[in-house]
Tab-separated table of all heavy atoms in Angstrom:
chain	number	residue	atom	x	y	z
Q	87	LEU	N	-0.147	4.343	-5.061
Q	87	LEU	CA	1.006	5.378	-4.927
Q	87	LEU	C	1.443	5.169	-3.543
Q	87	LEU	O	0.653	5.244	-2.670
Q	87	LEU	CB	0.483	6.735	-5.382
Q	87	LEU	CG	1.649	7.760	-5.158
Q	87	LEU	CD1	1.244	8.923	-6.275
Q	87	LEU	CD2	1.444	8.486	-3.849
Q	88	MET	N	2.664	5.065	-3.238
Q	88	MET	CA	3.288	5.157	-2.037
Q	88	MET	C	4.349	6.303	-1.972
Q	88	MET	O	5.212	6.293	-2.857
Q	88	MET	CB	4.004	3.937	-1.551
Q	88	MET	CG	4.380	3.904	-0.123
Q	88	MET	SD	5.189	2.314	0.426
Q	88	MET	CE	6.963	2.901	0.279
Q	89	VAL	N	4.238	7.170	-0.897
Q	89	VAL	CA	5.253	8.164	-0.743
Q	89	VAL	C	6.348	7.563	0.003
Q	89	VAL	O	6.280	7.506	1.271
Q	89	VAL	CB	4.562	9.370	-0.061
Q	89	VAL	CG1	5.661	10.538	0.035
Q	89	VAL	CG2	3.399	9.921	-0.769
Q	90	GLU	N	7.311	7.094	-0.578
Q	90	GLU	CA	8.572	6.359	0.060
Q	90	GLU	C	9.261	7.274	0.830
Q	90	GLU	O	9.899	6.789	2.083
Q	90	GLU	CB	9.335	5.601	-0.962
Q	90	GLU	CG	10.341	4.769	-0.479
Q	90	GLU	CD	11.145	4.039	-1.556
Q	90	GLU	OE1	11.894	4.793	-2.257
Q	90	GLU	OE2	11.090	2.799	-1.619
Q	91	SER	N	9.453	8.523	0.380
Q	91	SER	CA	10.331	9.464	1.080
Q	91	SER	C	9.970	10.829	0.635
Q	91	SER	O	9.063	10.939	-0.115
Q	91	SER	CB	11.817	9.201	0.883
Q	91	SER	OG	12.236	9.531	-0.427
Q	92	SER	N	10.474	11.860	1.146
Q	92	SER	CA	10.110	13.309	0.714
Q	92	SER	C	10.612	13.628	-0.664
Q	92	SER	O	10.226	14.629	-1.109
Q	92	SER	CB	10.650	14.219	1.690
Q	92	SER	OG	12.062	14.205	1.728
Q	93	ASP	N	11.358	12.668	-1.220
Q	93	ASP	CA	11.756	12.942	-2.693
Q	93	ASP	C	11.603	11.743	-3.635
Q	93	ASP	O	12.253	11.682	-4.650
Q	93	ASP	CB	13.217	13.387	-2.703
Q	93	ASP	CG	14.202	12.423	-2.095
Q	93	ASP	OD1	13.751	11.206	-1.640
Q	93	ASP	OD2	15.382	12.718	-1.970
Q	94	ARG	N	10.674	10.792	-3.271
Q	94	ARG	CA	10.613	9.545	-4.096
Q	94	ARG	C	9.213	9.037	-3.886
Q	94	ARG	O	8.702	8.912	-2.690
Q	94	ARG	CB	11.639	8.563	-3.784
Q	94	ARG	CG	11.601	7.388	-4.689
Q	94	ARG	CD	12.810	6.382	-4.187
Q	94	ARG	NE	12.757	5.003	-4.896
Q	94	ARG	CZ	13.345	4.895	-6.102
Q	94	ARG	NH1	13.953	5.803	-6.749
Q	94	ARG	NH2	13.207	3.706	-6.568
Q	95	ILE	N	8.555	8.668	-4.943
Q	95	ILE	CA	7.276	7.818	-4.969
Q	95	ILE	C	7.403	6.562	-5.666
Q	95	ILE	O	8.257	6.394	-6.688
Q	95	ILE	CB	6.077	8.550	-5.538
Q	95	ILE	CG1	6.383	9.146	-6.927
Q	95	ILE	CG2	5.828	9.773	-4.588
Q	95	ILE	CD1	5.228	9.751	-7.615
Q	96	VAL	N	6.675	5.568	-5.318
Q	96	VAL	CA	6.686	4.224	-5.921
Q	96	VAL	C	5.201	3.715	-5.971
Q	96	VAL	O	4.447	4.334	-5.242
Q	96	VAL	CB	7.569	3.194	-5.348
Q	96	VAL	CG1	8.994	3.641	-5.281
Q	96	VAL	CG2	7.121	2.834	-3.737
Q	97	GLY	N	4.964	2.720	-6.764
Q	97	GLY	CA	3.681	2.185	-6.774
Q	97	GLY	C	3.453	1.257	-7.988
Q	97	GLY	O	4.331	0.774	-8.604
Q	98	SER	N	2.035	0.911	-8.187
Q	98	SER	CA	1.737	0.106	-9.265
Q	98	SER	C	0.885	0.763	-10.175
Q	98	SER	O	-0.164	1.524	-9.774
Q	98	SER	CB	1.043	-1.212	-8.721
Q	98	SER	OG	0.461	-2.031	-9.819
Q	99	GLY	N	1.048	0.877	-11.462
Q	99	GLY	CA	0.209	1.479	-12.415
Q	99	GLY	C	-1.019	0.746	-12.743
Q	99	GLY	O	-1.902	1.222	-13.515
Q	100	GLY	N	-0.943	-0.528	-12.371
Q	100	GLY	CA	-2.132	-1.446	-12.637
Q	100	GLY	C	-1.612	-2.713	-13.263
Q	100	GLY	O	-2.054	-3.836	-13.026
Q	101	CYS	N	-0.531	-2.549	-14.046
Q	101	CYS	CA	0.091	-3.743	-14.735
Q	101	CYS	C	1.623	-3.739	-14.327
Q	101	CYS	O	2.131	-4.698	-13.859
Q	101	CYS	CB	-0.002	-3.623	-16.210
Q	101	CYS	SG	0.882	-4.919	-17.150
Q	102	ASN	N	2.153	-2.525	-14.257
Q	102	ASN	CA	3.595	-2.545	-14.068
Q	102	ASN	C	3.971	-1.638	-12.813
Q	102	ASN	O	3.307	-0.751	-12.483
Q	102	ASN	CB	4.253	-1.746	-15.230
Q	102	ASN	CG	4.394	-2.605	-16.520
Q	102	ASN	OD1	5.218	-3.474	-16.594
Q	102	ASN	ND2	3.358	-2.383	-17.464
Q	103	ARG	N	5.044	-2.018	-12.128
Q	103	ARG	CA	5.538	-1.293	-11.022
Q	103	ARG	C	6.284	-0.108	-11.521
Q	103	ARG	O	6.735	-0.063	-12.680
Q	103	ARG	CB	6.525	-2.100	-10.204
Q	103	ARG	CG	5.964	-3.235	-9.622
Q	103	ARG	CD	5.112	-2.888	-8.338
Q	103	ARG	NE	5.868	-2.243	-7.316
Q	103	ARG	CZ	5.292	-1.660	-6.346
Q	103	ARG	NH1	3.896	-1.877	-6.022
Q	103	ARG	NH2	5.879	-0.938	-5.416
Q	104	TYR	N	6.172	1.216	-10.809
Q	104	TYR	CA	6.787	2.271	-11.299
Q	104	TYR	C	7.507	3.074	-10.101
Q	104	TYR	O	7.303	2.691	-8.985
Q	104	TYR	CB	5.880	3.385	-11.994
Q	104	TYR	CG	4.780	3.935	-10.882
Q	104	TYR	CD1	5.236	5.173	-10.230
Q	104	TYR	CD2	3.744	3.299	-10.680
Q	104	TYR	CE1	4.266	5.587	-9.395
Q	104	TYR	CE2	2.756	3.755	-9.755
Q	104	TYR	CZ	3.051	4.997	-9.126
Q	104	TYR	OH	2.137	5.553	-8.118
Q	105	PHE	N	8.316	3.892	-10.408
Q	105	PHE	CA	9.124	4.666	-9.387
Q	105	PHE	C	9.443	6.040	-10.074
Q	105	PHE	O	9.783	6.105	-11.153
Q	105	PHE	CB	10.294	4.076	-8.773
Q	105	PHE	CG	11.224	3.667	-9.827
Q	105	PHE	CD1	12.479	4.476	-10.095
Q	105	PHE	CD2	11.228	2.501	-10.583
Q	105	PHE	CE1	13.320	4.186	-11.075
Q	105	PHE	CE2	12.207	2.106	-11.569
Q	105	PHE	CZ	13.152	3.000	-11.740
Q	106	ALA	N	9.539	7.088	-9.240
Q	106	ALA	CA	9.924	8.376	-9.683
Q	106	ALA	C	10.399	9.329	-8.582
Q	106	ALA	O	9.957	9.248	-7.561
Q	106	ALA	CB	8.676	9.073	-10.414
Q	107	PRO	N	11.391	10.185	-8.902
Q	107	PRO	CA	11.898	11.215	-7.969
Q	107	PRO	C	10.823	12.204	-7.975
Q	107	PRO	O	10.103	12.510	-8.915
Q	107	PRO	CB	13.213	11.611	-8.585
Q	107	PRO	CG	13.059	11.458	-9.996
Q	107	PRO	CD	12.176	10.178	-10.144
Q	108	ILE	N	10.655	13.010	-6.874
Q	108	ILE	CA	9.786	14.113	-6.784
Q	108	ILE	C	10.559	15.262	-6.067
Q	108	ILE	O	11.401	15.052	-5.309
Q	108	ILE	CB	8.525	13.805	-5.889
Q	108	ILE	CG1	8.808	13.263	-4.561
Q	108	ILE	CG2	7.615	12.755	-6.732
Q	108	ILE	CD1	7.555	13.148	-3.581
Q	109	THR	N	10.044	16.505	-6.465
Q	109	THR	CA	10.566	17.687	-5.846
Q	109	THR	C	9.326	18.498	-5.317
Q	109	THR	O	8.397	18.753	-6.061
Q	109	THR	CB	11.253	18.615	-6.854
Q	109	THR	OG1	12.337	17.908	-7.393
Q	109	THR	CG2	11.874	19.894	-6.234
Q	110	VAL	N	9.377	18.816	-4.115
Q	110	VAL	CA	8.157	19.374	-3.287
Q	110	VAL	C	8.660	20.793	-2.726
Q	110	VAL	O	9.666	20.827	-2.092
Q	110	VAL	CB	7.628	18.437	-2.152
Q	110	VAL	CG1	6.454	19.061	-1.603
Q	110	VAL	CG2	7.215	17.053	-2.815
Q	111	ASP	N	7.797	21.807	-2.931
Q	111	ASP	CA	7.924	23.034	-2.313
Q	111	ASP	C	6.617	23.455	-1.816
Q	111	ASP	O	5.756	23.965	-2.557
Q	111	ASP	CB	8.457	23.977	-3.289
Q	111	ASP	CG	8.841	25.412	-2.780
Q	111	ASP	OD1	8.636	25.587	-1.529
Q	111	ASP	OD2	9.104	26.346	-3.519
Q	112	GLY	N	6.384	23.377	-0.442
Q	112	GLY	CA	4.928	23.520	0.054
Q	112	GLY	C	4.113	22.513	-0.496
Q	112	GLY	O	4.245	21.280	-0.268
Q	113	ASN	N	3.149	22.876	-1.270
Q	113	ASN	CA	2.211	21.919	-1.983
Q	113	ASN	C	2.565	21.757	-3.474
Q	113	ASN	O	1.745	21.142	-4.081
Q	113	ASN	CB	0.798	22.168	-1.594
Q	113	ASN	CG	0.260	23.267	-2.441
Q	113	ASN	OD1	0.862	24.248	-2.587
Q	113	ASN	ND2	-0.979	23.100	-2.858
Q	114	ALA	N	3.430	22.579	-3.852
Q	114	ALA	CA	3.977	22.429	-5.268
Q	114	ALA	C	4.590	21.145	-5.452
Q	114	ALA	O	5.500	20.763	-4.679
Q	114	ALA	CB	4.702	23.677	-5.713
Q	115	LEU	N	4.402	20.384	-6.549
Q	115	LEU	CA	4.906	19.083	-6.745
Q	115	LEU	C	5.404	18.977	-8.257
Q	115	LEU	O	4.652	19.277	-9.289
Q	115	LEU	CB	3.797	18.088	-6.526
Q	115	LEU	CG	4.146	16.567	-6.919
Q	115	LEU	CD1	5.289	16.106	-6.031
Q	115	LEU	CD2	2.893	15.660	-6.648
Q	116	THR	N	6.604	18.510	-8.369
Q	116	THR	CA	7.167	18.145	-9.706
Q	116	THR	C	7.664	16.692	-9.636
Q	116	THR	O	8.381	16.220	-8.735
Q	116	THR	CB	8.385	19.081	-10.075
Q	116	THR	OG1	7.919	20.447	-10.088
Q	116	THR	CG2	8.937	18.772	-11.437
Q	117	VAL	N	7.244	15.906	-10.636
Q	117	VAL	CA	7.579	14.418	-10.801
Q	117	VAL	C	8.664	14.379	-11.828
Q	117	VAL	O	8.498	14.745	-12.923
Q	117	VAL	CB	6.463	13.555	-10.983
Q	117	VAL	CG1	6.841	12.129	-11.143
Q	117	VAL	CG2	5.330	13.781	-9.887
Side-chain angles (χ1 to χ4, degrees):
L87 179 147
M88 187 186 97
V89 184
E90 185 180 66
S91 66
S92 60
D93 59 3
R94 183 180 172 90
I95 56 173
V96 299
S98 173
C101 179
N102 290 280
R103 296 287 301 175
Y104 70 88
F105 59 92
I108 58 174
T109 302
V110 181
D111 182 9
N113 76 317
L115 172 66
T116 301
V117 178

